[in-house]
Amino acid sequence: MFEGLLRLALVAIMLVGTSSARAQVLFVDDFQDGDLNGWRTGGRGNVQVTSYGTNRSLQLTRASYASIGLQLTDTPRVRISLSFAALDLEGNDACVAETSVDGGETWNEFHRIEDGSDDSLTLYPGATETDVSADTPLLLRIRINGNGDNDTCWVDNVQISAVTRRDLISVGPRQKLTANFLRSGEALSRPVAMREFGPIDPEQSSPSAFEGRLSFSVARGAGTYAPLRDRFGFAASSLARLGYPPSFSVDLVSDGELLIPHTRALQVTDHAAWDLILSAGRIWRERADGDALRAAIPFALQEKNANCTHNGIITFLIRNGVPASRAAYQISSETCAYHQFDMWGMGTISRISEQVDDKDGIIAGYRQERRRRLPTKPLSELGQDHPTLDTDAFGSPQDISPDHLTTFGVVVDGVHYQSPCFTRYGDYPFCEEMALPSYSTSKSIFAGLGLMRLEQLYPGSSDEMIADHVSACRRAGWSGITFDHALNMATGRYKKKMPDADESAAVRDGFFLSPLHKVKIERACEVYPRRERPGRTFVYHTSDHYVLGAAMRAFLAQKTASDADIHRTLVVEPLDQLLGLSDTATATRRTADDRAQPYVGWGLTFLSDDIAKIGSSLSGTSASTGMQQLFGREALATALQQNPDDRGLPAPAKPIGYSNGFWAYDVASALSCQSPQPIPFMSGYGGISVVPMPNGLTYYYFSDNEEFSWVRAVAAADHFRPICKVR
């Protein structure tokens, strides 16, 4: 999907009162339902919900306003956040957000944008924190100070959250998930601090070895699903057991305090809504648990046929190798722009067998994976190691709403500095094992690097014709369109050039929704008419990369006389050989049929170390020698904007470009460079950016509030280690 790239900007708003924990959401309105439920409107001008592509927002014109009140009974402090976009502001015109805690007697402004921030596309986030009273409603008012009918403000992503209670992030003894609670029949009535799912007691001892196959299940009614953002109405859908994780069985072996699942890649389940990702957890002893061991398994639910990923943890007690308690589970974070929820409850854990096949191989494989990870330090040490680097520029709340930030990191001189993984109830205890979705960063890593690898193996493959390898496209008249044209989304076939227009139509016409290859390939080949010669105009189509994947598969099958898997052959094996990949990164979304066609343009999942290594291997004045050998020096140079004679196509217009599956943004103006300085980057739906910089630094973040700003971080990196010659 179109990644909101026109929102890249140096944002001039300072957010107030950020926290390392996602807050408990009390109210949210993204206006996707098209209604003004609870909003009071007035003033001179119009107030209405308007659409741009698939997104809806609240539009105010001239001198109108919209306000809403929230009565709070047991929340002494809240955080209010929203985003503004604007058009045709001039003079003293402004979009203004303000709050009142005294019934409207006084108003406190916390967010404003004016002339110069009114391109109608860039979303500027703003937020504040305020104390509230149980006796008086919290009032939020959004208004436009304009003098003409053309003066326009849009507001989106309105959210009011309880500031995380201290008992949810404090240190000290375990508050809820004690041994007594896990052994009792008491319900888990509300979410708890995520720290309760990890080790707390400093008086730990090495546990006895564990090996066996366990099963986990949740009985209907034994858990709670609390939607916070639900743009497509999943909560009201007929999906069976949407609010419960799938039952599963898993082979587990311990290695010291590590608890390692046999499979840590995406597992397709028979659950109607969710597939499953398990990660390595811990097994340890706590003094308060007596003779029992405590186990924790990080897990993620990934939406069927999509890439939304919801992260949680399961914990339980084991005695003498046998489960000795119920299992508590909780999901309190995600990377998903349209479906956000808390899920928690109690499940049943049981032991199926006492032995695991290939126990030694599982341990050896995970040990090797950990050995190949980059040296990693907490982000808090970045400033200590590099005092001249402005660390506040990375993950800045001026760019990314803290409530929607999953994690971020910076790689400097081969060291990976990572932030915590944030949740609504404190930091995630197993951040290095959190599953992170790719969305359209797959377009760079799978489609881009995949075709580069195919070209290295079989020179000239980039110039192969799509129609020679995909019969559905041949029937639809794809003559003259090459693999390279499809990679660069310049097929000459489109309905509208306007950003997001065709991509939004693809959501509606069934390309994304169908799980079957036959439907996807026919829609991808047929949906867009031929408008011009290929290679001239970039128009964002995820379907072009799906077509490319089908063509690469057919071409590789011809060359190898077998149906070789393009994901493993062209991406996983070369990257794992060079960098080492997690087991999590070895799977991709595929069609739910016998063909199991990889999606190519989306559907990968990574750990943070995977992203840090891939990004840093592409940073610097050229990609690493190993990357050049595997994927081609010239192709990588073009993708990474290191060939001034080939910058790719405007996407859709300068300063944004697109080349060989990678985006680029020209930061010459922001850095006062003497000449153009396009920075390559990878981008994923909802708010994911991976930025390998020419000065050797790499910056990435995963978020889900449609925010794509990182120029501030590049400016800080340039000050630390110059990227260009200044004017």
Side-chain angles (χ1 to χ4, degrees), residues 26 78 207 478 582 694:
L26 304 172
V78 297
W478 278 55
S582 69

Side-chain angles (χ1 to χ4, degrees), residues 9-55:
L10 280 169
V11 182
I13 305 298
M14 177 65 73
L15 300 186
V16 179
T18 62
S19 169
S20 66
R22 291 192 179 189
Q24 179 185 4
V25 177
L26 304 172
F27 171 82
V28 64
D29 200 345
D30 56 13
F31 306 102
Q32 289 299 114
D33 60 5
D35 294 327
L36 290 175
N37 300 322
W39 290 91
R40 178 184 177 185
T41 62
R44 297 178 59 196
N46 292 322
V47 181
Q48 61 181 332
V49 177
T50 61
S51 299
Y52 180 80
T54 59
N55 186 62

Side-chain angles (χ1 to χ4, degrees), residues 44-46 60-64 94 144-152:
R44 297 178 59 196
N46 292 322
L60 301 91
T61 63
R62 196 176 179 90
S64 56
I144 178 172
N145 179 27
N147 55 16
D149 292 338
N150 62 319
D151 300 331
T152 307

Side-chain angles (χ1 to χ4, degrees), residues 5 33 115 117 151 192 272 334 414 428 468 528 668 709:
L5 298 168
D33 60 5
D115 186 19
S117 301
D151 300 331
V192 300
E334 62 282 302
Y428 193 78
D468 291 342
Y528 304 118
S709 297

Side-chain angles (χ1 to χ4, degrees), residues 38 169 240 301 308 372 473 521 550 571 608 650 661:
I169 59 175
L301 304 184
C308 267
R372 300 189 71 182
C473 288
I521 197 64
V571 181
S608 57

Side-chain angles (χ1 to χ4, degrees), residues 137-170:
L138 168 70
L139 302 181
L140 169 65
R141 183 169 67 186
I142 302 155
R143 59 184 176 87
I144 178 172
N145 179 27
N147 55 16
D149 292 338
N150 62 319
D151 300 331
T152 307
C153 296
W154 290 272
V155 65
D156 207 349
N157 304 321
V158 179
Q159 184 167 296
I160 301 174
S161 307
V163 174
T164 305
R165 288 170 44 187
R166 287 200 168 275
D167 65 346
L168 294 181
I169 59 175
S170 62

